[in-house]
Amino acid sequence: EALRLLFQDLRRLAGDGLRHLGEVRKQHLPNKGAHNDLRMAGGLCHGEFAWFLRGRPQIACLFEALFDLPAGAPMTGSVDVVALAPPSCPMAREAVGKRWLHLDYSPPQGQIYQASIQLFPEGEEFGGRWERIAL
């Protein structure tokens, strides 16, 4: 379901010419500000794909366990970026060290936990040749 929603979001940006995720290339994605595969533009962070993954109960369970909270405890999160690197993306060949997510900043008031949901689809139609599909 997540990959179908990602394709739906990308098709809205690129037009109706795409038939499946395997056809998506760098030119179909929104521009990025840095030399990495983090896509903050084009509304992808608020698309159906991102919200479907954020709404998974398993994600809340992970953070409840991380913070030792009871089930259903109130939590606050941030809007993350979508990391996409289709086969034609230079990130697959160039900046190997930039492909992993890491802790950028912890404020003096406490710690910030950064997590990544990585998808590993099977089959070219579903993005199986992509370097990265993540939130």
Side-chain angles (χ1 to χ4, degrees), residues 37-40 44-45 54 79-83 101 114 134-135:
D37 56 4
L38 303 180
R39 308 287 171 168
M40 293 176 256
L44 284 177
C45 300
R54 286 185 193 107
V79 176
D80 306 353
V81 299
V82 176
L101 296 179
Q114 183 175 7
L135 175 67

Side-chain angles (χ1 to χ4, degrees), residues 60 63-64 67 69-77:
F63 279 94
E64 288 166 356
F67 291 108
L69 296 171
M75 289 184 278
T76 301

Side-chain angles (χ1 to χ4, degrees), residues 25-99:
R25 297 296 180 261
K26 180 183 173 186
Q27 67 266 22
H28 299 118
L29 302 176
N31 290 330
K32 53 191 174 50
H35 189 69
N36 58 35
D37 56 4
L38 303 180
R39 308 287 171 168
M40 293 176 256
L44 284 177
C45 300
H46 297 285
E48 299 293 326
F49 166 74
W51 284 109
F52 174 80
L53 290 178
R54 286 185 193 107
R56 308 305 302 159
Q58 298 90 335
I59 301 302
C61 288
L62 288 171
F63 279 94
E64 288 166 356
L66 180 66
F67 291 108
D68 196 27
L69 296 171
M75 289 184 278
T76 301
S78 66
V79 176
D80 306 353
V81 299
V82 176
L84 299 175
S88 65
C89 186
M91 280 304 300
R93 297 179 303 278
E94 294 173 5
V96 174
K98 296 268 185 180
R99 291 187 297 196

